[in-house]
């Protein structure tokens, strides 16, 4: 599947995105497709224009994850990110600029810093910061970059690891994008645990090791919280 096909692949609905990213209900819809309050209309942060489409593509989910990391760490208004995303989309010629490697690696870091300066983005909004003449990824962008896998050729995100241990995986081509350990949904493993099965029994049933099952349970506990 090419980058266009994968990133445009409709995987989720808005409630599922909220759950996977730990967002309050309705948040991903506002970020991805915009919203209105009374007579005031707020355009999408991720989509170019409001579409009313309920399906969420893989590319939209990946970009929402990065925004969620910034929102969680720095509590910034998402509408302030919109001009930067628009400008990167234009300069890179990519529909989902935050879901590609280009803003995070290579010479494009200088382009990104230039966009930040042109838009007068404060430090809470920046992907790259410059300290002592060195380019450094901002903390949320760094954690994002370290927990995604980019396609070797296209440079686009093909899977996500919610945690740095890289055991639980979110992949649009596995189990309809549900979090999995290998190919087993974490929700299935958690349900077996709630039903009274031991970790040893679950390991034997799915040919997983203890570390994998425990990682799945931690993920589900965190998601439910």
């Amino acid at each position: 599947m090419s980058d266009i096909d994968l990133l445009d692949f409709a995987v989720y609905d808005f409630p599922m995105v909220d759950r996977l990213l730990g967002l309050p209900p309705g948040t991903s819809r506002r970020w991805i497709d915009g919203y209105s309050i009374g007579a005031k209309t707020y355009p999408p942060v991720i989509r170019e224009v409001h579409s009313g489409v309920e399906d969420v593509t893989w590319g939209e989910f990946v970009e929402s994850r990065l925004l969620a990391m910034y929102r969680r760490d720095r509590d910034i208004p998402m509408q302030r990110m919109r001009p930067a995303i628009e400008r990167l989309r234009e300069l890179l010629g990519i529909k989902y600029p935050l879901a590609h490697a280009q803003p995070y690696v290579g010479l494009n870091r200088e382009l990104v810093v230039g966009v930040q300066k042109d838009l007068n983005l404060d430090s809470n909004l920046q992907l790259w910061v410059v300290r002592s003449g060195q380019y450094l990824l901002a903390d949320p962008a760094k954690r994002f970059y370290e927990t995604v896998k980019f396609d070797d050729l296209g440079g686009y995100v093909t899977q996500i690891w919610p945690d740095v241990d890289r055991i639980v995986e979110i992949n649009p081509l596995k189990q309809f994008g549900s979090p999995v350990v290998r190919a087993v949904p974490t929700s299935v493993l958690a349900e077996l645990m709630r039903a009274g099965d031991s970790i040893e029994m679950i390991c034997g049933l799915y040919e997983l090791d203890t570390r994998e099952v425990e990682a799945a349970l931690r993920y589900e506990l965190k998601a439910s919280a």
Side-chain angles (χ1 to χ4, degrees):
M1 184 177 286
S2 70
D3 60 336
I4 295 176
D5 290 335
L6 184 64
L7 293 178
D8 276 333
F9 182 40
V11 191
Y12 305 113
D13 58 17
F14 292 116
M16 185 63 170
V17 174
D18 289 335
R19 178 185 180 276
L20 291 177
L21 298 181
L23 298 171
T27 301
S28 64
R29 180 188 297 273
R30 293 193 294 272
W31 292 358
I32 294 170
D33 204 38
Y35 63 103
S36 298
I37 299 179
K40 179 68 173 178
T41 297
Y42 297 87
V45 178
I46 293 176
R47 289 179 181 167
E48 295 185 66
V49 295
H50 168 72
S51 68
V53 174
E54 293 292 315
D55 294 331
V56 178
T57 67
W58 175 246
E60 291 168 345
F61 174 75
V62 173
E63 295 201 328
S64 295
R65 181 170 184 263
L66 177 62
L67 295 185
M69 297 174 85
Y70 271 83
R71 180 62 178 272
R72 191 169 295 120
D73 281 12
R74 304 185 175 188
D75 194 28
I76 59 175
M78 284 298 105
Q79 286 292 328
R80 296 184 62 192
M81 290 290 283
R82 177 178 167 81
I85 295 174
E86 288 181 328
R87 187 66 174 141
L88 288 174
R89 185 186 294 128
E90 175 187 352
L91 291 174
L92 297 174
I94 295 173
K95 183 177 180 181
Y96 304 106
L98 301 181
H100 279 73
Q102 290 192 46
Y104 310 101
V105 298
L107 297 177
N108 282 295
R109 63 190 178 186
E110 297 180 12
L111 180 151
V112 174
V113 170
V115 168
Q116 294 171 175
K117 290 180 179 177
D118 290 344
L119 297 175
N120 196 28
L121 295 182
D122 63 43
S123 59
N124 285 336
L125 296 164
Q126 295 174 354
L127 290 180
W128 284 96
V129 294
V130 182
R131 295 175 185 162
S132 302
Q134 292 184 319
Y135 290 95
L136 301 172
L137 273 173
D139 289 343
K142 183 174 184 291
R143 290 199 307 278
F144 172 85
Y145 180 75
E146 290 173 345
T147 54
V148 299
K149 180 179 180 180
F150 292 99
D151 172 78
D152 292 337
L153 298 177
Y156 53 92
V157 174
T158 59
Q159 68 186 58
I160 290 170
W161 295 286
D163 298 305
V164 293
D165 59 16
R166 297 192 173 191
I167 296 176
V168 176
E169 171 192 354
I170 299 176
N171 186 321
L173 304 181
K174 290 184 178 180
Q175 297 292 340
F176 306 101
S178 296
V180 298
V181 173
R182 298 192 202 177
V184 184
T186 57
S187 59
V188 170
L189 300 176
E191 182 59 34
L192 290 174
M193 192 70 179
R194 286 192 292 268
D197 290 345
S198 67
I199 289 181
E200 291 74 16
M201 183 179 296
I202 297 171
C203 288
L205 183 62
Y206 288 103
E207 298 184 352
L208 301 172
D209 61 38
T210 300
R211 182 167 170 263
E212 290 172 320
V213 173
E214 289 178 343
L217 298 177
R218 283 196 304 272
Y219 172 82
E220 284 294 318
L221 182 63
K222 183 177 180 180
S224 64

